[in-house]
Amino acid sequence: MYGYIRFYKAQLSAPDYERYKSVYCSLCHALADNFGQLPRFMLSYDLTFMVLLAEALTVFPQAGDALWQPERCLEHFGKKTAVAHHWSFLDYAANISVLLAEQKLLDDQTDKEHLLRTFGVKRLFQGTFRQAANNYPEIAAEIKAGMLNFNRLESLYRHNYKNIESLLPAGVQAACAEQIKQVLAPLLSCCPAAYNCTLAFAAVIGKIFRCLPLLPLQVPPTDRVELTTAVKKQLLSPCLEVIGIYLGAWIYLIDALDDLSDDLRHQQYNILLLSEKGNLIRQNYERKLLRLQQLPLLQRRQKHPAGKTLYRDKSQEELTEPQKQIADLLHTAQTILHNLQALLDQSLILLPWQRDAALIAAIIQEGLPTTLLRCNFKQRYQFDLLQLASTPSIDLPS
């Protein structure tokens, strides 16, 4: 995954931070228990949130606190952290981490990015990937089929997006909730490729969340527990799928938005630029990108005296036409991300929390907007430098 569903320490209380760290370390130990030490590098914040979600919805015995045992970790200089082992959703998340890492390598191989490193890592973890697929064959097959469809969509749009009207399979359309289609509707007018690819990627994450096991422990066979088990299997799986779809759409769009300025500068692929407006943005900024690369970093800093705000909101009258196009694209993406976060917040409120509801709410209500704010700041920084590079008063070296 991409690591965008994350926490910020300043936004959490001390007990919530310790709880999150315990879940994070538990997933790290689950990777080691299932696959050895090297696959620990596949740990991500996104799947830690999935484990935290499953743990918060799981009915534990009364002695649930005894399941967390303090253990030392070399990464934290031998400091003890409460860790749990061999829960079904921990093992599930560890295997999903490996399966998604394999898909990431295949995607890099298709894009011809870091080919030597990709080939080496793929050979090194070939047995690990095969073991994860054997452990969960059904979800592994669904992830593989979903990512193949997603990669096919991206490849077709990348080469000839104009002649593609609707390539999204009917199964993906049926799996995604109507709310997310309404939220993503602005993409249909400015970038249809982003709409279809976002739904395709979100459907894969939705399937992963739908298969999330919620009862990893043997509990006393009372009528109440049996009823709870039946209710969770019948009702919570579709709810978790919808939450996974919202999260998948948010992750895909924030990743595209986060890479937008870098992809513009290096003239690389970005789903948000696969449109008529995107092509126009590329053409208008091609010369300025070249000037920016020639502009020394020291000279950039000297043009912004101390105390001057580097970024300020400009009215539409102050913007040039290329700047308006960039502003419209950023505004559309950010509005969609805000709406997706609102949908996530509304969906999570309805779940039967057993614990950690405040921690999960903090990640969604405060963590996601902070990530978006940091991403927005990065885009403003890059585009402000583009504007600086096009200023006639700057004498660039020949």
Side-chain angles (χ1 to χ4, degrees), residues 48-182:
T48 301
F49 177 81
M50 185 179 73
V51 173
L52 181 65
L53 182 67
E55 191 265 348
L57 293 172
T58 299
V59 179
F60 288 104
Q62 294 181 355
D65 293 337
L67 301 173
W68 299 88
Q69 300 296 331
E71 294 188 12
R72 299 185 186 273
C73 181
L74 292 177
E75 184 178 353
H76 297 96
F77 305 101
K79 184 179 178 181
K80 288 187 177 181
T81 304
V83 174
H85 288 278
H86 302 297
W87 293 354
S88 61
F89 54 75
L90 278 173
D91 294 335
Y92 176 79
N95 283 269
I96 293 298
S97 300
V98 172
L99 293 172
L100 291 178
E102 180 184 18
Q103 294 301 323
K104 173 62 176 173
L105 289 175
L106 293 175
D107 185 60
D108 290 343
Q109 185 177 357
T110 302
D111 296 340
K112 299 182 180 180
E113 297 180 359
H114 315 292
L115 288 178
L116 184 60
R117 184 183 68 183
T118 300
F119 178 76
V121 173
K122 187 177 179 181
R123 290 295 300 270
L124 178 64
F125 293 105
Q126 187 173 5
T128 303
F129 297 148
R130 188 184 305 111
Q131 179 183 349
N134 292 333
N135 291 340
Y136 291 88
E138 294 182 2
I139 188 62
E142 290 189 359
I143 291 175
K144 182 177 180 180
M147 293 305 296
L148 281 176
N149 171 64
F150 166 73
N151 292 330
R152 181 178 68 91
L153 284 175
E154 276 201 333
S155 178
L156 291 175
Y157 276 120
R158 186 180 307 190
H159 291 92
N160 188 13
Y161 67 89
K162 293 182 180 180
N163 298 331
I164 301 174
E165 296 179 357
S166 178
L167 291 174
L168 201 63
V172 174
Q173 291 277 11
C176 294
E178 291 299 326
Q179 291 89 337
I180 193 174
K181 297 177 186 177
Q182 296 175 4

Side-chain angles (χ1 to χ4, degrees), residues 49 52-54 56-57 243 347-357 360-361:
F49 177 81
L52 181 65
L53 182 67
L57 293 172
I243 291 173
S347 301
L348 290 171
I349 289 177
L350 303 176
L351 294 179
W353 300 110
Q354 305 298 319
R355 64 195 66 81
D356 295 334
I360 292 176

Side-chain angles (χ1 to χ4, degrees), residues 296-307:
L297 179 61
L298 181 61
Q299 194 171 12
R300 300 180 202 171
R301 292 178 177 174
Q302 291 175 348
K303 293 300 177 178
H304 293 285

